[in-house]
Amino acid sequence: MTALRRAAIAAVTLFALLATTTAVIAFQQRAAAQAQRDSAVFNQLSGEADRLHGTDVSLAAQLDLVAHRMKPADTKIYTDLVGTENFPLSTALVAHTDAVHSVAFSPDGHTLASAGADHSIRLWNVSDPRHAPASNLIANTPSAVNAVAYSPDGRSLADAGADGTLRLWDVADRTHAVPVGEPLRLTDAVTSVAFSPDGHTLAAADADHTIRLWNIADLAHPAPLGQPLTGHTGAVEAVAFSPDGRTLASASVDQTVRLWDIADPARATALGAPLTGHTNTTTAVAFSRDGRTLATASRDTTIRLWDVADPAHPAPLGQPLTGHTSTVESIVFSPDGQLLAAGSADTTVRLWDVADPAHPTPITPVDQPLAGHSSTVFAVAFSPDSHTLASASADRTIRLWDVPRTLLTTHHGAVESVAFNPRGHTLATASADHTIQLWDVADPTRPTRIGQPLTGHTDAVLLTVFSPDGRILASASADHTIRLWNVADPGHPAPIGQPLSGHTDAVSSVAFSPDGHTLASASADRTIRLWNVADPAHAAPLGQPLTGHTDVVESVAFSPDGHLLASASDDATVRLWNVADPTHPTALGAPLTGHTSSVFAVAFSPDGHTLASASNDATIRLWNTTNPTHPTPVGQPIVGHTNTVLSVAFSPDGGTLATGSLDHTARLWALDPGPADHRICASTADALNLPKWQQYVSDQMAFDPPCGTVAVPH
């Protein structure tokens, strides 16, 4: 029995061992298979996100979120998420059953009206961006609706019918609209409608080549004002009032735009000759907030800007805005006067910075318009706070675009430099317009300008930097000098001493050492100079200029411990220098390469482990400098600017990167993916629904969208 028992025990033990081994092997195989599957899904996600960036950036952002949660340490996905910070993202509103022709925000921004080919008018509650907007069907009309417009007090809505009728609605209660009076009847399709700023006059564009005006002081009893306005030789496509209500603009199939004096709307008269230049139907007109600029759009795929400060003598501003590849259907200025938006038959929306209307610049790269619609974009409208853009499309949807609030647009030239004050919430921007502007960025999503620009330089200000104690600002200029400013009170800055001279060409960059006693400067003369600024009123040069770069030295930056100095050059490289002893600096390792053109700026993160570089190739690169003799790139280049990136700076906490560009904008990038996660989820709603999960992620993985499940709004 003992021998049998031992044999039995041995057999059981062997069996258990074999079973355990088999289980372990099976577990390892399952784990390996799971890892292979996850890796394959991750690679697919990354590839699909890259592909979708040009056609649906909102869905691409959600796919990036899924990938980031699968591999949080992946540097490519990290930089992709950072890149979404300054790109408009959208969520789709679905309820219409045919093309959506028009959208309009109520004056309080809480309601969005929409109308279209399905004969319906809907009101959407958009008062809470945290929740998917819900709509109320307020009317079914006898025909398609071409346009809707709110009265200035937000209590009335007008709609333009394709059947030649104009209807007025009481929408004081957005859940229950009430028709007001009888429909107004025109002789052909009503293509556009607009309220005057005082709410007393209503204008409508008629396909019979005329414009009609009504006195609507008594909304229930509109009274015609004078005779229809004639002059156009084709259907009138659009009308718009100037902000002062004294001028009306109209666009027509006859390829012209006309201006009308309606100071006395009962005796409206044409102002001067028609505006010409477009080579096809003019489809839309819009006045800027100050009324001094008029934008016109056309089927010739362009937008033109006009100086209408004197509406009797309008003049073209610059060259036509291009980018769209088909008819520009709609244009609108943002209420803050900073942006112009356009919707096109090419299915996209484009944005321009028009703070300086004589020099408009695109907000997004030319090859990256706002994409997401799958058919013609018929209308665009800004919310009153300028932070949301609504677009209406033939694809039966409306999209709400979250317009980034991190674009600082005040300079009238390229933004050459940005710098954070290390002891507060102040940002300085320097420009080719010879000035420096200070900003309050306590809330980086809502930056505000501080006082008037600083003046004194006689040429472009190429860079600004704060001293470590935040009390001094140094500026470098193409006028070959460096200036020091007392900014202890940012609301009342003042110059210190005389400009520092010594360089024989433009001074492209300056940087303070961490103790504030040394200032480094870089120049087009290919040298770097060090200055003793312990007494800023009596700054003096230290030793001989540093040499090594083979072209213009564009930028210098000290590491937080003061032992390293980084320099960037037109020779497309970045160099690191040991400046522990500033009187005897030495070069460290080989130059850093990767940019494909001049490197214009460098900046160390507060912990000294990351170096950021900005380049003429329109990208920003991040470098790991933990080992300064062998730095390595971090992820992929960060893209978003539409032209040369001239400057870069880290916020004091290292969580935000600021960049300035030749595209006339400064941009803020959250380096912690957390804010990007939040914004993507808040702005893209159900972009990644179950069918798209199965298409782009995996039909084998359980549906688990990164932003949770959001019901499709109805």
Side-chain angles (χ1 to χ4, degrees):
M1 287 296 294
T2 302
L4 288 174
R5 180 177 296 178
R6 283 199 299 269
I9 293 172
V12 170
T13 302
L14 178 60
F15 177 79
L17 180 60
L18 289 173
T20 302
T21 302
T22 300
V24 169
I25 292 173
F27 176 80
Q28 291 174 335
Q29 289 175 335
R30 284 196 300 272
Q34 178 76 24
Q36 289 177 347
R37 188 201 72 172
D38 288 351
S39 180
V41 169
F42 176 85
N43 291 334
Q44 176 182 330
L45 277 172
S46 180
E48 292 287 2
D50 288 344
R51 185 179 64 80
L52 287 166
H53 271 293
T55 57
D56 191 342
V57 69
S58 301
L59 176 56
Q62 288 243 1
L63 295 182
D64 279 335
L65 274 186
V66 177
H68 176 65
R69 294 182 183 183
M70 291 181 72
K71 290 188 177 181
D74 186 86
T75 55
K76 177 191 176 298
I77 297 299
Y78 164 78
T79 50
D80 283 348
L81 287 175
V82 170
T84 66
E85 186 73 13
N86 282 280
F87 204 94
L89 301 175
S90 71
T91 188
L93 309 186
V94 181
H96 284 282
T97 59
D98 207 334
V100 188
H101 290 158
S102 181
V103 282
F105 279 96
S106 61
D108 64 7
H110 294 168
T111 307
L112 181 74
S114 62
D118 61 2
H119 299 202
S120 75
I121 302 172
R122 290 182 173 273
L123 297 183
W124 303 79
N125 182 349
V126 292
S127 58
D128 186 352
R130 296 171 300 177
H131 296 93
S135 74
N136 292 305
L137 175 65
I138 65 164
N140 279 310
T141 61
S143 71
V145 182
N146 290 328
V148 287
Y150 269 101
S151 61
D153 63 7
R155 300 181 63 83
S156 304
L157 187 76
D159 78 78
D163 61 357
T165 62
L166 188 66
R167 296 175 175 82
L168 296 171
W169 305 85
D170 180 342
V171 289
D173 177 359
R174 67 169 171 246
T175 64
H176 182 65
V178 178
V180 179
E182 293 298 317
L184 305 176
R185 302 195 179 277
L186 287 75
T187 60
D188 208 332
V190 187
T191 55
S192 176
V193 62
F195 285 89
S196 62
D198 64 7
H200 295 163
T201 305
L202 188 71
D206 195 334
D208 71 357
H209 307 186
T210 70
I211 301 159
R212 295 173 183 266
L213 301 176
W214 289 269
N215 181 332
I216 53 171
D218 178 357
L219 198 66
H221 302 91
L225 286 166
Q227 295 300 309
L229 307 186
T230 60
H232 282 297
T233 59
V236 183
E237 294 281 301
V239 288
F241 284 93
S242 62
D244 64 6
R246 300 176 65 85
T247 305
L248 185 75
S250 58
S252 170
V253 171
D254 65 13
Q255 303 182 15
T256 72
V257 170
R258 285 183 175 265
L259 297 178
W260 310 84
D261 180 349
I262 55 168
D264 179 356
R267 296 175 175 81
T269 58
L271 282 168
L275 279 61
T276 60
H278 286 295
T279 59
N280 205 328
T281 297
T282 52
T283 54
V285 285
F287 282 96
S288 62
R289 177 183 62 173
D290 62 8
R292 300 176 65 86
T293 304
L294 178 73
T296 61
S298 171
R299 286 185 182 172
D300 65 12
T301 76
T302 72
I303 299 162
R304 288 176 177 264
L305 298 180
W306 309 81
D307 181 345
V308 290
D310 178 358
H313 300 92
L317 284 169
Q319 298 299 307
L321 305 185
T322 60
H324 283 298
T325 58
S326 189
T327 300
V328 182
E329 299 281 358
S330 178
I331 47 176
V332 63
F333 284 94
S334 62
D336 63 10
Q338 301 295 311
L339 302 176
L340 177 73
S344 170
D346 66 12
T347 77
T348 71
V349 175
R350 288 182 181 272
L351 294 173
W352 286 267
D353 171 10
V354 289
D356 178 3
H359 301 93
T361 56
I363 289 296
T364 59
V366 174
D367 62 348
Q368 292 184 22
L370 278 60
H373 285 297
S374 59
S375 190
T376 297
V377 180
F378 283 120
V380 285
F382 274 105
S383 60
D385 64 6
S386 301
H387 296 156
T388 302
L389 178 72
S391 57
S393 173
D395 66 9
R396 306 182 182 186
T397 72
I398 300 159
R399 281 188 175 266
L400 295 182
W401 302 87
D402 173 52
V403 180
R405 306 177 193 184
T406 50
L407 302 177
L408 284 58
T409 53
T410 187
H411 288 292
H412 297 305
V415 179
E416 303 278 358
S417 170
V418 287
F420 281 103
N421 188 319
R423 292 293 183 267
H425 300 291
T426 303
L427 180 75
T429 57
S431 173
D433 64 11
H434 304 188
T435 70
I436 301 160
Q437 180 66 59
L438 300 180
W439 303 81
D440 181 347
V441 290
D443 179 353
T445 66
R446 293 175 173 81
T448 56
R449 189 170 61 180
I450 301 174
Q452 296 301 307
L454 311 186
T455 59
H457 282 294
T458 59
D459 207 334
V461 184
L462 302 177
L463 191 133
T464 55
V465 63
F466 287 95
S467 61
D469 63 8
R471 302 178 65 84
I472 299 172
L473 181 73
S475 56
S477 172
D479 64 12
H480 301 194
T481 71
I482 301 161
R483 285 181 177 264
L484 300 178
W485 311 81
N486 184 336
V487 290
D489 177 359
H492 300 88
I496 300 174
Q498 297 299 309
L500 308 185
S501 58
H503 283 295
T504 59
D505 209 332
V507 184
S508 48
S509 178
V510 283
F512 281 98
S513 61
D515 62 9
H517 295 166
T518 304
L519 185 74
S521 60
S523 172
D525 63 15
R526 304 187 182 187
T527 70
I528 300 164
R529 285 180 177 265
L530 300 179
W531 309 80
N532 183 341
V533 290
D535 178 359
H538 301 91
L542 280 171
Q544 297 300 308
L546 311 182
T547 60
H549 281 293
T550 59
D551 208 332
V552 174
V553 186
E554 297 284 0
S555 177
V556 285
F558 283 95
S559 62
D561 62 8
H563 295 168
L564 299 177
L565 183 73
S567 59
S569 170
D570 281 354
D571 62 15
T573 71
V574 174
R575 285 181 176 266
L576 296 179
W577 308 81
N578 182 340
V579 289
D581 178 356
T583 62
H584 298 91
T586 57
L588 281 171
L592 309 186
T593 59
H595 283 294
T596 59
S597 189
S598 299
V599 186
F600 285 115
V602 284
F604 280 98
S605 61
D607 64 8
H609 294 164
T610 304
L611 180 73
S613 57
S615 171
N616 185 52
D617 62 15
T619 72
I620 304 108
R621 283 182 176 265
L622 301 178
W623 309 85
N624 184 336
T625 54
T626 303
N627 180 352
T629 60
H630 296 93
T632 56
V634 176
Q636 299 296 309
I638 298 172
V639 297
H641 282 292
T642 61
N643 208 327
T644 300
V645 188
L646 297 167
S647 58
V648 63
F650 285 90
S651 61
D653 64 2
T656 304
L657 191 71
T659 55
S661 169
L662 202 60
D663 64 13
H664 293 199
T665 71
R667 296 176 185 244
L668 302 178
W669 312 82
L671 297 179
D672 176 358
D677 285 14
H678 177 76
R679 179 171 176 264
I680 290 169
C681 290
S683 305
T684 61
D686 64 334
L688 185 57
N689 53 28
L690 178 58
K692 290 179 180 176
W693 176 277
Q694 293 172 337
Q695 178 181 357
Y696 295 110
V697 181
S698 173
D699 57 5
Q700 302 300 313
M701 292 177 65
F703 180 47
D704 185 21
C707 303
T709 303
V710 180
V712 177
H714 292 287

